Amino acid sequence: MTVLVSVWGAAPGVGKSTLCAGLSRSLAGAGLRVDHFREEEILSRPQFGAVAEEFGATGAVGPETLVAATQRFVESVPARGDDVVVADALVPFVPTLLAMGHDDEAIDAFMADLTRVLAPVRPVVVFLDGDAGTALSRAGEREGARWLDRYIGKLAAYEVSPPVSDLASAVAYLGRERAVTLGAVRRHGWGLVVVERADELTPGEVVGAVGQGLTPWLP
C-alpha cells in the first residue's frame, strides 16, 4: 500500500518545503519509489484541475470539490507504482476550510469523507511544530520585506477566527489552525508524526527525526 505523507507546520517558514525535498531524496536513496507533490502543484496536477478552476473563478473551494479531487488523485496512485507520496501541505486541507469560514463541525464531517476516500492509501501527517512568530519572521526574511504584510493581509481578508490584523493576531490564528488540524487528524485515526521545536533544528536533524518517526508506516 502506498503511504501518503502530508507535511504541515505551525506556520510558514517552519521548514515544510525543505523537509519535503530532503525527505523525498532520503526515501528515494533508500530504494523507495517516491512522488514529491509540491505545494504549488495543486494548481497544475490534472486530478486537481477542478480545484484550481473553482478557486480561480470564486476565490474559494468547496469541500465536495476537495474530496472529489483527492479521490481522483488516490485513484491515479496505483498506475504510478509509487511506494510513498510526499505532499507539501496537501491533505487534510483544514487550513483551507478554516479560511473559507467552515466551523469545527463541518470540518469534522469533511474529514470523515476524506478518510473514506483515502482508504486505498495510508495517510500520515508530519507536523513541524515550533514558535509561529519565529517561523513567520524567518519566512519574511526569506521572501522579502513585504511578504509578511501580504500574508497578514491575506488572512485578514479571509475574515478568519480569531480575526487577524497584525503579527500577534496572525500567531494567535495559527495556534487555532494548529489545534484544529491536529485534533482532526487524531480523531480520524490517521498516522501522525509531530516534530517538536522544529524551528530550532537543522534541516538534516528534521529529516532524521521524521524518517525515524515514519518507520512504523513505511514499506
Side-chain angles (χ1 to χ4, degrees), residues 40-190:
E40 63 273 14
E41 289 181 26
I42 197 169
L43 299 177
S44 60
R45 293 237 180 175
Q47 299 86 6
F48 288 87
V51 172
E53 182 178 349
E54 187 172 321
F55 183 77
T58 68
V61 182
E64 299 84 359
T65 304
L66 293 171
V67 169
T70 304
Q71 182 162 3
R72 287 191 294 270
F73 177 71
V74 169
E75 290 170 350
S76 75
V77 167
R80 295 178 59 93
D82 295 310
D83 298 305
V84 185
V85 177
V86 176
D88 186 346
L90 188 62
V91 296
F93 305 111
V94 170
T96 298
L97 297 177
L98 286 173
M100 302 305 166
H102 296 279
D103 60 19
D104 291 12
E105 184 177 355
I107 290 173
D108 201 62
F110 168 82
M111 280 293 293
D113 291 338
L114 190 62
T115 301
R116 173 183 51 79
V117 164
L118 290 172
V121 297
R122 184 177 289 117
V124 182
V125 168
V126 171
F127 193 88
L128 301 184
D129 219 347
D131 184 89
T134 299
L136 286 175
S137 296
R138 180 186 297 172
E141 292 173 0
R142 182 188 66 213
E143 301 295 337
R146 298 304 303 273
W147 178 88
L148 189 54
D149 289 340
R150 290 194 298 270
Y151 178 74
I152 292 171
K154 180 177 72 172
L155 292 181
Y158 282 138
E159 299 183 356
V160 295
S161 178
V164 172
S165 59
D166 55 17
L167 178 59
S169 56
V171 169
Y173 168 71
L174 287 169
R176 167 167 163 71
E177 189 180 273
R178 171 192 181 278
V180 176
T181 299
L182 292 178
V185 167
R186 287 175 171 132
R187 281 194 305 277
H188 289 273
W190 295 24

